[in-house]
Structure formats: structure tokens, C-alpha cells
Amino acid sequence: NAGVTQTPKFRVLKTGQSMTLLCAQDMNHEYMYWYRQDPGMGLRLIHYSVGEGTTAKGEVPDGYNVSRLKKQNFLLGLESAAPSQTSVYFCASSSFRRTIYNEQFFGPGTRLTVL
Amino acid sequence: DAKTTQPPSMDCAEGRAANLPCNHSTISGNEYVYWYRQIHSQGPQYIIHGLKNNETNEMASLIITEDRKSSTLILPHATLRDTAVYYCIRGETSGSRLTFGEGTQLTVNP
């Protein structure tokens, strides 16, 4: 049981380049999330998904797109990377049960630098 | 404002109890208090949550004041491995769409 995995672990981009970050979970969770964390700050929600084929904007969605074609995968895309997107990106997943708290399980993070 | 207020840093001696405070004076009646921690840039890890009553699990205890305006996370016997940033978060029942603040950097000293 690998939990939540993220690919790649590190990446350096030049301004204007594009890339896709992959998140995978093997816990059959309905919800998946993408966060970013800048130095000395807490995590901020970029986008999230409540199920296969659905996505929604979080707190800081601009400059990112996401897709959830399969329940176990959640992709985060940067179409034209900017230095302001230099950050650590965390993916998380959780189940959804209405009357019970659903803790979020986080991946190890992807460290992205945009030059 | 959905944020909570925590001290930026705290120190604790190894083996002693670590008491981490959190202010959430504008919490609404159906919002829970959640605690997560992040060890050295790893992904955050869930610790505990509560609504009105005090809660305890294998990791920690959570004490919520009667007026629910503040709470305290207690690590009963802190170890060096408890050194981390601790986040106090208020949110809906499902636990989705967490709003992280800057948290408290807890340093456990030998």
C-alpha cells in the first residue's frame, strides 16, 4: 500500500515551459487535492476534485489546470511556467463519509523551480 | 476570516509535555478544530480533531474551551521526532478544503 505518490520529486523549468505533475493514490479515495507551499508559509489549496471527472478551484488556481480522468490519479498542469510558481507542491487524498471526519493523506511533495 | 491564530514558535524539553495553543475566536457552531503537523518539509500528517469535547488518541490530546474560542494540543511526552510545524485548522465536518495558516514551529530539545 503505497498511499499517495507524486511524480516527479524535483523539477527545474525555464520560464514559459510547460509540465504536468502526477499524483496517484491507491486508497480508493474520492477526494483529491493539490496544494502549494512557499517558504515559511502554510499550504494553499490550488484545485481539488470530489470524484472522477470533476474538478474545482481552490484558493490560488490561476496559472494551473487539473484533470481527474481516473479515480486514482490527479494531474496538475502548468501551461506556461512563471518564476512565481516556484514552490513545493503537495498532493493529498481523502475518503468522503458525511458524518465522519475524513483525514487527508499527503504525498511527499514535488519541488519545482522556475528560472 | 476562517483562519486561526498560533504562536510562531515554541520550545519544549524532551520527555516533557508540549502544549500548543490555538485561538479560533470566530469559529462557527458546526466547525471542527483539526490539527496536522509537518515534519521537515514532508507532507503534513493528521494528528487529531474535535468539536466540543476533549479528545485523545495515541498521538495527542486536544482540549477545547467551553466557549470553543480556543484549544490546546498536548503531546504528553515530547520526543525529538515531534519537532515539526503544527497547524491548527478550523473547518467543516468532512475535512475537505483545509485552510492552513503558518502554524507553530515546535522544537523539542534534548
Side-chain angles (χ1 to χ4, degrees):
Chain A
N1 199 348
V4 179
T5 59
Q6 294 183 231
T7 308
K9 289 184 171 53
F10 303 92
R11 186 71 186 269
V12 178
L13 290 179
K14 294 181 180 179
T15 297
Q17 287 186 317
S18 63
M19 77 162 295
T20 300
L21 282 68
L22 170 64
C23 175
Q25 53 95 5
D26 61 2
M27 297 173 281
N28 201 34
H29 284 165
E30 292 84 3
Y31 280 38
M32 295 188 75
Y33 315 81
W34 276 107
Y35 295 88
R36 63 176 285 174
Q37 184 174 34
D38 299 325
M41 297 180 65
L43 282 70
R44 291 183 292 170
L45 183 64
I46 304 172
H47 286 281
Y48 65 100
S49 168
V50 302
E52 184 178 323
T54 70
T55 62
K57 294 180 180 179
E59 182 185 356
V60 288
D62 294 341
Y64 305 95
N65 56 75
V66 288
S67 64
R68 183 103 180 264
L69 299 180
K70 294 182 179 180
K71 185 176 184 179
Q72 64 268 34
N73 295 337
F74 195 28
L75 305 179
L76 178 70
L78 287 73
E79 290 186 348
S80 179
S84 60
Q85 293 178 304
T86 294
S87 191
V88 180
Y89 291 85
F90 289 99
C91 176
S93 71
S94 67
S95 57
F96 183 73
R97 297 158 292 177
R98 289 191 184 278
T99 58
I100 299 174
Y101 176 63
N102 306 281
E103 67 177 280
Q104 292 190 20
F105 294 83
F106 285 81
T110 294
R111 282 151 182 77
L112 174 66
T113 300
V114 182
L115 302 176
Chain B
D1 188 349
K3 291 189 176 179
T4 59
T5 303
Q6 300 177 254
S9 64
M10 293 183 65
D11 286 282
C12 177
E14 188 176 19
R16 295 295 188 105
N19 298 285
L20 291 89
C22 179
N23 180 288
H24 33 80
S25 58
T26 60
I27 195 169
S28 62
N30 62 349
E31 284 186 306
Y32 282 68
V33 178
Y34 307 110
W35 285 84
Y36 280 73
R37 73 180 183 183
Q38 186 175 25
I39 297 173
H40 189 54
S41 300
Q42 297 177 18
Q45 174 192 25
Y46 166 79
I47 302 173
I48 199 168
H49 75 281
L51 181 63
K52 296 180 182 179
N53 300 320
N54 299 337
E55 303 288 345
T56 296
N57 63 20
E58 64 278 4
M59 290 182 67
S61 295
L62 176 60
I63 309 297
I64 302 174
T65 58
E66 192 169 344
D67 62 9
R68 302 214 319 126
K69 293 184 176 181
S70 65
S71 60
T72 301
L73 178 73
I74 301 172
L75 307 178
H77 304 287
T79 71
L80 298 179
R81 288 177 293 180
D82 291 323
T83 292
V85 177
Y86 287 77
Y87 296 100
C88 170
I89 303 164
R90 44 182 278 194
E92 57 193 36
T93 307
S94 68
S96 64
R97 291 176 292 173
L98 300 176
T99 300
F100 288 80
E102 295 176 3
T104 296
Q105 171 67 61
L106 174 69
T107 301
V108 181
N109 301 304

